[in-house]
Amino acid sequence: MTVHGRDRELDLLAELVAEARNGHGGALAVRSGPGLGRSTLLSWAVRRAGADFRVLGVPGVRAEARLPRAGLGRILPAVPDDLRDVRRSFTALAEDRPLLCVADDAHWLDPESLEALAYIARRVEGSPILILFAAHNEHILTPERDRLAAIPSLSLQPLDDETSRRVLSECVEDLAEDLESILVELAGGNPRALLELGQALTPAQLAGTEPPPATLPGGSELRAIYRRRFFRLSETARLLLLMAVVDEHLDTVTLARTAALAGLDLAELEPARALGLLTVDGDHVTVPSLLIRSVLYADAPLAERQTAHRLLADVLDRPDQSARRIWHRTAVTSRPSDAAYLRAAALDTDSTEATRLWLRAAELSGDPADLLGAAGAFWRSGDPVRARNLIRRAQAHPAVPPGEAEFLLGKIELFGGIPGRARALFQTAAERLPSERRLEALINAGEATFLAGDIFAYLELASQAKDVPGPELLALHFEGTSAAFANIDFTPPLRKLLTLPVSCLDHIWAATAAMLLGDDTAARELASRAVRTAHGCHSPLKPTALHLLAQADVWRGRFAEATARSMEGLALARTVGQGNVAADHLTLLALLSALRGDRETAERHISQVLQTASTRGLSRPEAYVSWARATLDLLEDRPGEAAARLEVMTVHPVVRVMSTPLYVEAAVQSGRHEAASGALNLFDQWAETTANPARLALSRRCHALLAEKDEVAEEKFTTALALHRLGGSPFELARTQLLYGAWLRRARRPSDARAHLRRALHTFRHYEASGWATRARAELRASGVSSIGARHPEPAAELTAQQEQIARLAAEGATNREIAARLTLSPRTVEHHLRNVFARLGVRSRVELVRFFSFPTA
């Protein structure tokens, strides 16, 4: 039998067996909750020991737990009274070959036998004896002591999700991904639970036409363990425990109020905690796992369960508790007429609470529309797996609302699946939905094709949507973006669109339009509004809104803000299961790192996304990867590779246009002037249409690089610099200054070049773009700045902006504490920066810093 996810534990057991075989005994207590694989590990150790070991099995037997020495009596013909004699009996058994003693379920051994085995286990070091215990802490831990104290212990943790999937795959073949994920979540990493759940699946559950298991099957051994623990509690303790079972948001205040209302003594909950059925974490009272919660809810007497619901419904009287109150109340009454009440409440609460309300409505009504309502709530709350499962169940019902299931599945695919599949689903939805919803479905199909980089398919969808009724904003967006992709005037519809947004989704469409229009200020403001309004039913849109905001910051040269926004969006996208949006954030972060010259970070981001992007056909992230790597190629003086990388980037024409300035620079440096000139035409048209000074500056810079006459090149560079200052992108301004400075130096005008190169270097230091700063320093030296410490000291050439500030103040004589107070830092941070300053500048003291700075004389 394969043991999954326990490599560390198996290595330890193998080492102990090998040591015992060589005459060096040992002992180990494997501890865990039920079902985590204690017995499996001990069985593996027995197989590992093989025939050259004598194996004694001393399993704990519940029925014999109170019979003195019952355990030892099963392996020794006569059990001596003295523990030393028991030890001598074990030593005698190990005379001719090593001895392996396995005490499984040691918590059910009688105390005398357990203590005798523990006594021997602490004294086997010089003998070929290995004693293994498997136990959970019940009965092993007493109020006075740990019965297995001083014996090395190994605590088993739940399996991770990937390992859990492997365990499931051994007992169920071709399990649907959404059902597999639900079982993995329910089992919580418990191997026995995974096997019991997988083996009990019905054909209808496997087909997705029946609900997945809500708990362990009725004949489950693991379920029986928790059921026994539950019924060992008093009636009062069971009722108090059930309040935590039926309400996962239970807090100590609500529990105390409910107990007071029912006249229950909270002290009776302590046995539930001791049995591992309840956890109190701060003011949160909960059940340790979803698995335990599901078993207790299923096996609790109906009357006790309804009493818990009723008591909680009576005390949850605050306005913010209304959704929970309604849910508990309908659990008691369970009338079909309550479904409408639940639907209304679901529409007026957050997505997490809405999921339970929709599910309760579906239970009462049997209406597949309620299943779709629950599916939508699960998707909005970040659980696309359960959403898919509910959609499959709804689709099996003949009364499923036409097109709604396909539309919701399309959304899930668009944000976290395969764009081609999303497009097909949205197109099917457009055929089946009411006419007023058709445009919404078509534009989402368009978004899927745009993500895949299929501009021709986008134009085809836009053509289909021309006469379809729907919201004006969507119609304008389709009209304007398709015009842009068809290379005709797209500004009128998109400018009109900017005046219409109201909701979060509206602001997202508008921010996208503003970017096409080249209006970076409007794009940032609209994306910011989208982020601010992304709550409630629009919460799944927040990662997308953050991506748009980060993009706007990149165009404005605000790299730190863009990085922060994209890191936030990445974390959120991963949390809510939006893998495609996470890919967008990762590749934008890769581009930001590449622009700074940080190959290690850029490649780390790329490695996390490339396989997913390729498998799903995510053209936009793949294009950003090409852009990022081409940037690094150019920075590392491989312009031919950079140009070649961008030339084959046909998978997403929009990103290709955006990266044109980089391509022109790389192509010119590698002697491909004609190709560069051809690529620039489309970018020029976009820049002229937007009239954005930042885009026009990039256009003029490209023309300067392509110019054959010096006077034309200088005029274009000068114009580009002026436009950059109007456009507000300091980083691109510095890039143009670097290129212009290099051109001036090659034109034998070194004194003119230095001013531009110094300004470029200063900006690159501010951005901590070390690669570009190195290029600027090299150009400065080539223009006649022979050494940093000469006539014009240049500590900036080696230091970041903050390091230079600290170094200058230190050179002036300020102490670390004074520098810290001046710059709002800690003295320790100042000390850390100064150590780096000394290393970079090659100095050993503050006194030596003075030669790097010029100070005014009195």
Side-chain angles (χ1 to χ4, degrees):
M1 181 179 65
T2 304
V3 181
H4 293 288
R6 302 295 188 203
D7 292 349
R8 182 178 66 87
E9 292 84 352
L10 295 180
D11 288 345
L12 176 58
L13 288 171
E15 183 180 347
L16 288 171
V17 169
E19 288 291 316
R21 185 176 277 115
N22 293 328
H24 305 290
L28 182 69
V30 182
R31 306 188 190 219
S32 75
L36 286 173
R38 299 185 306 256
S39 301
T40 300
L41 288 180
L42 264 59
S43 298
W44 185 91
V46 171
R47 293 196 304 275
R48 181 78 176 195
D52 54 341
F53 269 74
R54 174 176 279 111
V55 178
L56 297 180
V58 196
V61 178
R62 184 186 183 93
E64 298 180 359
R66 297 182 182 277
L67 299 178
R69 303 186 181 185
L72 286 176
R74 291 198 296 276
I75 58 172
L76 298 177
V79 182
D81 292 332
D82 193 322
L83 290 179
R84 289 171 294 185
D85 292 333
V86 177
R87 181 187 174 198
R88 279 191 280 270
S89 298
F90 270 68
T91 303
L93 290 170
E95 284 182 354
D96 58 336
R97 52 180 170 159
L99 174 66
L100 172 61
C101 179
V102 178
D104 198 3
D105 288 334
H107 45 279
W108 290 123
L109 280 172
D110 60 278
E112 291 84 354
S113 295
L114 179 58
E115 290 179 3
L117 290 174
Y119 172 83
I120 299 167
R122 291 191 290 269
R123 293 165 174 79
V124 295
E125 187 174 345
S127 307
I129 299 174
L130 174 61
I131 302 182
L132 300 177
F133 300 87
H136 61 70
N137 285 334
E138 190 182 356
H139 303 310
I140 299 301
L141 287 176
T142 67
E144 298 82 21
R145 62 190 175 91
D146 182 348
R147 295 180 188 273
L148 294 178
I151 294 174
S153 65
L154 177 66
S155 179
L156 295 185
Q157 301 303 314
L159 303 178
D160 59 37
D161 286 356
E162 182 179 349
T163 306
S164 296
R165 293 177 192 278
R166 291 204 300 270
V167 172
L168 264 180
S169 68
E170 285 196 348
C171 64
V172 188
E173 293 183 0
D174 300 324
L175 191 61
E177 184 180 352
D178 55 347
L179 180 57
E180 180 185 66
S181 298
I182 289 170
L183 296 182
V184 167
E185 181 186 7
L186 177 58
N190 189 298
R192 188 189 297 179
L194 288 163
L195 292 173
E196 291 179 343
L197 287 166
Q199 291 165 356
L201 289 171
T202 67
Q205 287 173 328
L206 289 168
T209 57
E210 280 187 1
T215 189
L216 293 168
S220 158
E221 295 179 17
L222 190 56
R223 179 170 173 173
I225 292 172
Y226 290 120
R227 182 167 56 239
R228 285 195 298 268
R229 293 185 184 185
F230 179 71
F231 282 105
R232 283 166 58 187
L233 300 172
S234 68
E235 187 176 343
T236 296
R238 291 202 305 268
L239 184 55
L240 290 167
L241 173 58
L242 279 173
M243 292 178 196
V245 170
V246 302
D247 193 326
E248 58 190 74
H249 302 297
L250 187 66
D251 58 85
T252 53
V253 173
T254 302
L255 179 62
R257 288 183 63 199
T258 312
L261 177 68
L264 305 175
D265 184 1
L266 284 176
E268 295 209 36
L269 262 182
E270 286 309 305
R273 293 180 67 176
L275 289 170
L277 300 178
L278 187 76
T279 300
V280 180
D281 183 8
D283 64 350
H284 191 208
V285 184
T286 188
V287 179
S289 71
L290 176 61
L291 186 70
I292 297 175
R293 182 188 300 278
S294 71
V295 168
L296 298 184
Y297 192 83
D299 287 343
L302 178 60
E304 292 182 12
R305 202 167 67 196
Q306 288 202 320
T307 299
H309 279 300
R310 179 177 52 78
L311 289 170
L312 286 167
D314 289 342
V315 299
L316 293 170
D317 49 12
R318 297 200 314 261
D320 63 320
Q321 297 173 328
S322 61
R324 288 164 64 194
R325 180 173 64 251
I326 292 166
W327 187 79
H328 286 298
R329 188 163 292 156
T330 55
V332 177
T333 59
S334 298
R335 296 173 304 207
S337 59
D338 287 334
Y341 187 37
L342 288 159
R343 291 181 199 118
L347 295 172
D348 195 34
T349 189
D350 66 81
S351 300
T352 303
E353 289 289 349
T355 57
R356 300 199 306 164
L357 296 170
W358 279 114
L359 284 174
R360 178 83 81 214
E363 290 171 10
L364 297 179
S365 69
D367 188 342
D370 290 331
L371 287 176
L372 292 178
F378 270 115
W379 179 68
R380 289 191 294 274
S381 64
D383 192 347
V385 169
R386 289 192 181 274
R388 280 195 186 96
N389 184 268
L390 288 167
I391 294 168
R392 287 169 65 195
R393 285 170 54 194
Q395 286 178 311
H397 198 289
V400 62
E404 294 291 352
E406 291 81 6
F407 185 85
L408 186 50
L409 279 173
K411 280 283 190 184
I412 295 171
E413 288 292 331
L414 177 61
F415 283 85
I418 299 174
R421 192 181 297 163
R423 174 192 169 186
L425 285 163
F426 282 126
Q427 287 183 292
T428 301
E431 295 169 1
R432 298 178 180 176
L433 286 168
S435 58
E436 64 271 14
R437 296 280 309 282
R438 190 179 176 213
L439 182 60
E440 184 184 3
L442 286 173
I443 199 167
N444 277 283
E447 286 300 293
T449 61
F450 181 59
L451 178 57
D454 191 344
I455 300 304
F456 293 110
Y458 190 98
L459 294 174
E460 181 184 339
L461 286 164
S463 177
Q464 294 176 28
K466 277 185 179 177
D467 300 319
V468 175
E472 182 184 12
L473 185 142
L474 297 186
L476 290 170
H477 189 278
F478 234 158
E479 180 186 350
T481 51
S482 60
F485 298 158
N487 199 25
I488 58 179
D489 187 12
F490 56 87
T491 56
L494 293 186
R495 292 200 186 282
K496 184 177 181 182
L497 185 156
L498 299 186
T499 66
L500 300 177
V502 176
S503 69
C504 172
L505 184 56
D506 292 348
H507 285 109
I508 285 177
W509 295 126
T512 305
M515 286 186 183
L516 279 174
L517 290 167
D519 192 338
D520 299 330
T521 302
R524 190 179 193 284
E525 177 57 30
L526 289 161
S528 297
R529 290 180 192 171
V531 171
R532 291 195 298 270
T533 55
H535 55 79
C537 64
H538 292 305
S539 56
L541 299 175
K542 189 170 184 179
T544 298
L546 285 165
H547 181 249
L548 289 169
L549 183 54
Q551 281 185 294
D553 280 333
V554 170
W555 278 111
R556 289 160 56 88
R558 301 171 68 163
F559 290 0
E561 292 92 332
T563 300
R565 298 294 188 185
S566 223
M567 290 297 292
E568 181 186 355
L570 173 62
L572 185 55
R574 284 172 165 168
T575 299
V576 298
Q578 295 183 11
N580 294 348
V581 186
D584 279 329
H585 281 291
L586 279 167
T587 49
L588 186 60
L589 288 167
L591 178 61
L592 283 161
S593 299
L595 288 169
R596 294 191 183 100
D598 185 351
R599 176 176 283 279
E600 181 181 352
T601 303
E603 290 293 348
R604 186 173 70 249
H605 291 313
I606 289 169
S607 67
Q608 295 178 54
V609 72
L610 208 52
Q611 181 61 40
T612 299
S614 177
T615 303
R616 295 182 181 178
L618 304 179
S619 166
R620 185 167 62 211
E622 285 184 327
Y624 268 97
V625 166
S626 297
W627 190 354
R629 283 179 165 165
T631 300
L632 291 166
D633 288 337
L634 181 64
L635 183 57
E636 294 165 3
D637 204 22
R638 292 192 299 275
E641 293 180 30
R645 196 184 295 278
L646 293 174
E647 282 171 352
V648 299
M649 192 181 72
T650 58
V651 288
H652 203 284
V654 174
V655 180
R656 187 174 187 180
V657 171
M658 292 163 63
S659 61
T660 296
L662 180 74
Y663 173 71
V664 169
E665 185 176 345
V668 168
Q669 290 183 21
S670 56
R672 309 181 193 190
H673 289 70
E674 186 175 347
S677 181
L680 185 55
N681 290 333
L682 193 55
F683 184 85
D684 281 345
Q685 291 176 38
W686 180 45
E688 294 295 338
T689 301
T690 66
N692 183 321
R695 308 295 189 278
L696 291 170
L698 294 174
S699 169
R700 300 303 182 269
R701 181 175 85 194
C702 291
H703 282 283
L705 294 172
L706 286 165
E708 295 181 2
K709 296 182 178 180
D710 287 354
E711 58 269 24
V712 174
E714 183 158 17
E715 186 269 328
K716 298 295 183 185
F717 270 127
T718 304
T719 304
L721 292 175
L723 287 166
H724 273 308
R725 294 185 177 96
L726 292 174
S729 179
F731 185 82
E732 288 300 334
L733 169 61
R735 292 271 288 108
T736 299
Q737 288 168 333
L738 173 59
L739 289 167
Y740 186 30
W743 182 86
L744 287 168
R745 180 188 64 77
R746 289 194 299 272
R748 302 181 184 277
R749 296 165 57 183
S751 59
D752 292 335
R754 288 176 201 137
H756 295 291
L757 295 172
R758 289 183 194 280
R759 285 193 281 269
L761 180 57
H762 179 78
T763 301
F764 293 143
R765 282 173 34 246
H766 172 77
Y767 279 91
E768 298 189 359
S770 57
W772 294 112
T774 299
R775 295 281 290 270
R777 285 198 301 274
E779 287 292 341
L780 270 170
R781 291 189 181 100
S783 70
V785 179
S786 58
S787 69
I788 291 173
R791 184 177 175 186
H792 298 288
E794 289 284 354
E798 303 294 338
L799 306 180
T800 67
Q802 188 171 63
Q803 286 172 343
E804 185 189 356
Q805 265 188 305
I806 292 171
R808 185 178 293 277
L809 290 170
E812 290 175 354
T815 65
N816 285 5
R817 191 170 296 279
E818 289 168 341
I819 296 170
R822 179 107 170 248
L823 301 181
T824 321
L825 299 170
S826 71
R828 181 173 296 179
T829 300
V830 171
E831 183 182 355
H832 168 75
H833 281 303
L834 276 176
R835 282 200 301 270
N836 289 335
V837 167
F838 289 172
R840 289 191 177 195
L841 297 184
V843 301
R844 291 174 294 177
S845 69
R846 291 169 179 252
V847 173
E848 293 182 54
L849 285 177
V850 175
R851 66 187 175 90
F852 287 91
F853 298 93
S854 298
F855 299 109
T857 56

